[in-house]
Amino acid sequence: FRRVLFRSYNTTGGSNTANGQNALRNNIAGYSNTAIGYTAAQGTTSYNASSLTAIGTGSLYNTTTGADYNTALGYHSGFGVTTGASNILLGYKAGDNLTTGSNNIVLGYNIDAPAVDSANTLNIGNLIFATGVDGTGTTLSSGNVGVGTTSPAAKLSVSGNGYLTGGLGVGVLNT
């Protein structure tokens, strides 16, 4: 039996849970963080961030001060996030390209945000995209949704052919 001790840098924060080698290692004063997995939310230098959820090897690895309220589930999900905040990144390497982008939702296997500094976007499997995802509580978002396009121009933009088995009403309910 060999016991290995790692230095903990969190000296003034509290209510943190870290399980895995170097998980939350460089978070010096953050609160209410959960990091599970080898190097989850490790950070590359000392940082202060709170309300992080990083589950999976290397998830939120590059976190720095200001990267609060991120949720990353999956191997290397959110790996590149430095100061980006309030992102939801679910899946193997989901959103690993983000650095400073905030308020994004990225879902799927090896799926990225449109840009490293994207804000208020949605990407589901590189098929369904949204911009202006800014609603909170019961307030509707002001943005647009696209199928097959990363830059929807209207409330619903479809790039490519469509197939409809029912009626289509414009401005009226068509049954």
Side-chain angles (χ1 to χ4, degrees):
F1 176 73
R2 189 178 97 168
R3 184 173 172 191
V4 179
L5 298 176
F6 292 95
R7 181 175 173 198
S8 173
Y9 293 103
N10 194 304
T11 56
T12 60
S15 300
N16 294 301
T17 302
N19 185 5
Q21 185 176 358
N22 294 333
L24 281 176
R25 180 175 174 94
N26 292 316
N27 191 325
I28 58 172
Y31 286 87
S32 302
N33 295 295
T34 301
I36 299 172
Y38 175 70
T39 67
Q42 173 180 316
T44 55
T45 61
S46 295
Y47 71 94
N48 177 15
S50 294
S51 300
L52 300 174
T53 302
I55 300 176
T57 295
S59 57
L60 296 176
Y61 177 84
N62 285 296
T63 297
T64 62
T65 298
D68 302 306
Y69 309 107
N70 285 307
T71 299
L73 308 176
Y75 174 86
H76 280 206
S77 56
F79 184 87
V81 172
T82 55
T83 58
S86 301
N87 294 294
I88 300 171
L89 312 165
L90 306 177
Y92 170 89
K93 294 182 126 183
D96 67 340
N97 71 319
L98 276 174
T99 57
T100 58
S102 295
N103 304 310
N104 297 289
I105 302 169
V106 178
L107 308 175
Y109 180 90
N110 203 17
I111 302 299
D112 284 327
V116 298
D117 59 351
S118 292
N120 301 313
T121 66
L122 166 74
N123 181 352
I124 301 175
N126 281 344
L127 178 62
I128 300 172
F129 299 89
T131 58
V133 182
D134 54 9
T136 60
T138 59
T139 304
L140 295 176
S141 289
S142 62
N144 299 323
V145 174
V147 177
T149 176
T150 59
S151 52
K155 286 294 178 193
L156 178 61
S157 295
V158 178
S159 178
N161 297 329
Y163 178 74
L164 190 63
T165 60
L168 175 64
V170 178
V172 296
L173 178 59
N174 190 0
T175 57

